[in-house]
Amino acid sequence: YMKIPEFLGKLPYRPIVSAFTATATAEVKADIIKMLELRDPFTITTGFDRKNLYFGVSHPHDKYSETVRIVEKYKDNCGIIYCSTRKNVESVCEKLCADGYNASRYHAGLSDEERRKNQDDFIFDRVQVMVATNAFGMGIDKSNVSYVIHYNMPKNIESYYQEAGRAGRDGNEAKCILLYSGQDVATNKFLINNSHDNPDLDDDTLEMIRKRDLMRLKKMTDYCNTNGCLREFILGYFGEKQDKPCQNCSGCWGDFGETEEVDVSVDCQKVLSCIYRLHQRNLSFGAGVIAQILKGSDSEKVKRFDLSTLSTYGIMKDSTQVYIRRLIAFLEADDYITQTSHGDFSVLTLTRRSAEILMDKKTITIRLPKKKPKSETVTKIGRDEVTTFDKELFGRLRAVRSKLATQASLPAYIILTDASLRDMCIKLPKTQTELLNISGVGKSKQERYGRYFVAEIQKYLKENPDAASGYKYIPEGYLQKQNAVGGQSTKEYIIAHAGELSGKEQDMTLSEVCDSIFYQLGTDGDIRSIKLAIKEWLIGENYLAKDGANGRGFLETTILSPEAGIIEREKISQLGNSYKTILFPKQAQEFIFENIEEILSKDVQNS
């Protein structure tokens, strides 16, 4: 926008100029005013807080597995996965499609025609997951995005908040999860140091921009390693104060779970002492080697530099590498240590603040996932209580909406949002008048679309008369909590009510079979653990096997699969790749239900 003043100067007279931005710090606001030569402008900030968004930072060992876990958890909803490179976009999208998820891709390397098609498929709900670089999203007004995953850390908080903010625009609860790794920092530093080639800028300005971008990257890295409330960190970055922790981020609750304050003063002393001992030998290394020394590793570098003779070698052998690396990241985020360049590598050195821990014995606490007693099975109920509802009816109403949207050439959410459809599944309006009691349905939408949805609900109730009494409205986690209080876990509850389960006349994936179990019993719970128990039992009994050839742990049928009713089907992904999927027809579903006591009893005994 530095060329805008030049353009304005060529006009016969200067018009009133207005500048708008979604995310700007006080420094950037002053920069805009100065560079656009705004004259005593009126300024207003409407606020940065989006209370319906959950912010989470995860440090996973395997980013793709963590991505699948999130996508699977919200598989009935739309989501965006942002990657920093085209290569990552292609890889993640291809894997998701091969794993049976309805995903598409978007990046600048695609043709205009494909980008337009893929974007329309996402907006019109023909695909549920968009894997994209930051080229995707500007001007995209899709309200029903339920989650945004950052597969790689962005270069600054401004970019992150804009991209994450594409979730939850319908006002419903939505998840914004960033998957962090130290490699993201190195990649972003490389991009910052090698991407400023604007011919209109002199060397001094380019250097100023480079240093500014590195400072912003440092803030982004600090966000990923902060010990406090993530929302408070973001708002503070943009100059907005928050009175207390939000209780709706991983800083307050941990990675999708409760956390607790832990005194790590002694362990921090060990980390800093290790760096100091290396300095005494005129040696310096990055976080990886320091963690190896503290853990007592016999890696190649430890042997080459004779690091096993350090007094700090192996003094944290009982700690995990993940924990040690997290401590190092925390110490760096709070400026107790810093990264400096050493040739082509970054190494860690002490700062002046290190003395506060080493000499003054300052108490250091960080927030870590809370360790629960093995007997405790209570599931946390967050502020965004998710309710169960009739998923079969929900699917039928979505099909009606999709048909109406196609006919009108409109995105589906413009017709009605998912929140409105869920409300219909709970309240079951049988007349046009009752439809006005549904969230998001006004007179205009009632008159335009109401008859189609009411007709579908009436048809459904005729086919399912038991549903007319109203579907159970149970907050997620509530039943598990009640069962635990009564001494009964969720798995024990399923075993006790196994006789109520029946197979459906459709070919289901294993995830859908688990959904069916929870739906039929009128409860929600940890579907992932049930799915894992069933899968391991089927493999153990040789009804399924792991396909070792592809290296991804896919399942394949065995000679005993027909006995259990399990079938295998070949499908073609959007990228044109062929893959096989395991399906469970009615016979296979009932086979699992008949054996559910044996499947889950072993897990119950172990727990």
Side-chain angles (χ1 to χ4, degrees):
Y1 61 79
M2 287 158 47
K3 290 182 176 290
I4 295 176
E6 179 184 337
F7 162 72
L8 292 173
K10 294 179 180 177
L11 297 176
Y13 66 93
R14 180 184 172 97
I16 294 175
V17 177
S18 298
F20 302 88
T21 178
T23 52
T25 61
E27 178 188 7
V28 173
K29 291 176 188 174
D31 197 32
I32 292 172
I33 291 171
K34 178 182 177 182
M35 301 195 78
L36 296 186
E37 300 175 1
L38 301 180
R39 302 170 184 174
D40 191 25
F42 167 77
T43 63
I44 186 171
T45 302
T46 57
F48 291 93
D49 194 8
R50 297 271 306 281
K51 294 186 184 299
N52 63 314
L53 300 185
Y54 170 95
F55 291 99
V57 174
S58 177
H59 296 233
H61 177 70
D62 183 339
K63 284 191 176 186
Y64 180 71
S65 295
E66 181 67 5
T67 298
V68 169
R69 186 180 77 83
I70 298 169
V71 172
E72 176 69 19
K73 185 171 183 178
Y74 303 104
K75 64 181 180 180
D76 293 327
N77 304 101
C78 294
I80 302 173
I81 301 171
Y82 280 110
C83 301
S84 61
T85 64
R86 299 177 189 179
K87 181 180 178 181
N88 279 349
V89 168
E90 294 287 348
S91 173
V92 173
C93 184
E94 185 170 351
K95 287 179 181 177
L96 285 173
C97 290
D99 285 345
Y101 296 100
N102 189 12
S104 189
R105 58 183 179 165
Y106 191 104
H107 59 70
L110 303 177
S111 66
D112 290 346
E113 182 180 353
E114 183 175 353
R115 285 204 306 273
R116 185 164 48 249
K117 176 188 178 300
N118 293 351
Q119 178 175 298
D120 286 348
D121 284 346
F122 183 66
I123 289 176
F124 288 94
D125 289 337
R126 291 190 285 267
V127 299
Q128 288 182 289
V129 184
M130 176 60 76
V131 188
T133 60
N134 60 8
F136 178 78
M138 297 300 288
I140 301 300
D141 186 21
K142 181 175 173 65
S143 70
N144 62 333
V145 176
S146 295
Y147 62 89
V148 170
I149 300 171
H150 276 80
Y151 200 81
N152 303 107
M153 183 187 75
K155 287 189 287 189
N156 53 65
I157 290 176
E158 288 91 341
S159 298
Y160 174 69
Y161 202 46
Q162 284 196 28
E163 292 160 12
R166 285 160 193 150
R169 291 186 175 179
D170 55 5
N172 289 325
E173 303 293 339
K175 309 293 182 183
C176 307
I177 310 298
L178 193 159
L179 307 183
Y180 173 83
S181 74
Q183 183 59 42
D184 293 334
V185 182
T187 300
N188 281 320
K189 279 186 177 178
F190 176 83
L191 293 173
I192 289 171
N193 288 326
N194 294 276
S195 62
H196 293 303
D197 54 357
N198 189 333
D200 295 328
L201 301 178
D202 58 45
D203 290 344
D204 289 343
T205 304
L206 284 172
E207 180 61 16
M208 179 192 72
I209 292 173
R210 189 185 71 84
K211 288 182 177 178
R212 182 200 63 192
D213 287 348
L214 288 173
M215 288 177 61
R216 288 179 176 174
L217 175 61
K218 176 68 166 60
K219 279 291 185 183
M220 186 73 246
T221 308
D222 291 349
Y223 170 83
C224 295
N225 293 289
T226 182
N227 184 36
C229 172
L230 296 179
R231 178 174 270 97
E232 193 172 28
F233 191 104
I234 291 174
L235 296 180
Y237 180 82
F238 292 115
E240 197 168 295
K241 298 295 182 183
Q242 182 172 272
D243 296 334
K244 57 184 179 180
C246 69
Q247 300 301 322
N248 192 33
C249 73
S250 64
C252 294
W253 284 102
D255 295 342
F256 308 104
E258 194 173 353
T259 62
E260 59 185 347
E261 288 283 341
V262 178
D263 187 336
V264 294
S265 307
V266 174
D267 285 343
C268 287
Q269 291 169 16
K270 293 175 181 178
V271 173
L272 297 178
S273 294
C274 185
I275 297 173
Y276 177 71
R277 297 300 179 194
L278 287 168
H279 175 71
Q280 287 181 315
R281 296 189 183 186
N282 292 320
L283 294 173
S284 52
F285 295 100
V289 175
I290 290 169
Q292 289 172 8
I293 296 169
L294 292 164
K295 181 72 176 167
S297 166
D298 60 350
S299 67
E300 185 271 333
K301 275 194 177 178
V302 168
K303 292 177 180 176
R304 191 198 325 165
F305 291 95
D306 197 24
L307 301 178
S308 61
T309 59
L310 285 169
S311 60
T312 52
Y313 179 78
I315 60 173
M316 296 182 71
K317 62 182 179 182
D318 295 329
S319 300
T320 65
Q321 285 271 358
V322 172
Y323 169 71
I324 297 172
R325 292 293 290 267
R326 186 162 186 172
L327 273 187
I328 293 171
F330 162 74
L331 289 168
E332 185 184 356
D334 274 24
D335 293 321
Y336 293 107
I337 54 180
T338 187
Q339 286 193 34
T340 58
S341 296
H342 184 75
D344 295 331
F345 303 98
S346 291
V347 297
L348 294 175
T349 58
L350 302 181
T351 68
R352 289 183 179 181
R353 290 199 69 194
S354 302
E356 297 176 15
I357 297 175
L358 284 173
M359 307 298 292
D360 301 335
K361 307 301 181 185
K362 180 178 180 179
T363 299
I364 303 294
T365 62
I366 65 173
R367 191 167 285 279
L368 295 172
K370 188 174 182 179
K371 294 180 180 179
K372 295 185 177 181
K374 288 185 178 180
S375 59
E376 186 176 349
T377 57
V378 177
T379 303
K380 176 183 82 70
I381 304 176
R383 63 187 290 276
D384 54 333
E385 289 184 339
V386 180
T387 57
T388 60
F389 53 88
D390 194 322
K391 293 181 181 178
E392 182 183 346
L393 176 58
F394 182 67
R396 291 170 65 159
L397 294 178
R398 288 182 78 172
V400 171
R401 182 182 65 178
S402 178
K403 184 177 180 180
L404 292 171
T406 301
Q407 291 173 349
S409 297
L410 291 171
Y413 66 86
I414 296 295
I415 306 295
L416 281 176
T417 66
D418 282 358
S420 296
L421 301 189
R422 283 194 288 268
D423 205 24
M424 286 185 200
C425 294
I426 293 166
K427 295 176 181 175
L428 299 173
K430 305 173 191 66
T431 66
Q432 289 272 58
T433 302
E434 290 179 2
L435 200 65
L436 291 172
N437 296 322
I438 298 300
S439 170
V441 178
K443 193 69 177 174
S444 174
K445 290 194 175 183
Q446 178 225 35
E447 292 175 351
R448 195 175 305 171
Y449 310 119
R451 63 183 181 276
Y452 302 105
F453 292 102
V454 168
E456 188 63 34
I457 291 170
Q458 289 175 342
K459 180 181 176 183
Y460 178 76
L461 292 176
K462 187 175 181 180
E463 297 170 2
N464 302 272
D466 291 343
S469 58
Y471 190 72
K472 294 179 181 180
Y473 186 81
I474 307 172
E476 181 180 12
Y478 177 80
L479 185 57
Q480 293 91 312
K481 189 170 185 177
Q482 296 304 307
N483 291 338
V485 171
Q488 189 178 44
S489 70
T490 305
K491 290 178 180 177
E492 289 171 332
Y493 182 85
I494 293 174
I495 293 170
H497 294 79
E500 301 172 26
L501 299 171
S502 60
K504 305 298 179 186
E505 293 289 352
Q506 65 183 90
D507 296 345
M508 295 184 179
T509 63
L510 185 53
S511 295
E512 289 168 339
V513 173
C514 295
D515 278 339
S516 178
I517 292 172
F518 282 86
Y519 165 66
Q520 290 185 57
L521 299 183
T523 183
D524 272 320
D526 185 4
I527 290 180
R528 190 163 173 259
S529 68
I530 304 299
K531 177 182 175 182
L532 182 62
I534 295 173
K535 183 170 74 171
E536 289 182 346
W537 183 83
L538 290 171
I539 293 171
E541 298 296 320
N542 202 32
Y543 292 113
L544 287 176
K546 286 185 179 179
D547 180 4
N550 58 45
R552 294 184 191 167
F554 290 164
L555 296 177
E556 61 181 1
T557 53
T558 69
I559 194 171
L560 295 181
S561 295
E563 179 185 320
I566 301 171
I567 60 175
E568 189 176 76
R569 289 283 184 267
E570 187 168 330
K571 291 190 175 183
I572 304 297
S573 73
Q574 284 194 322
L575 301 179
N577 298 316
S578 173
Y579 67 96
K580 293 179 180 179
T581 185
I582 303 295
L583 294 174
F584 297 78
K586 183 178 181 180
Q587 178 190 342
Q589 297 165 40
E590 293 184 339
F591 176 79
I592 289 174
F593 300 156
E594 288 168 5
N595 291 280
I596 201 72
E597 182 174 356
E598 180 183 342
I599 293 169
L600 299 184
S601 290
K602 185 177 180 181
D603 270 13
V604 169
Q605 290 166 6
N606 290 340
S607 64

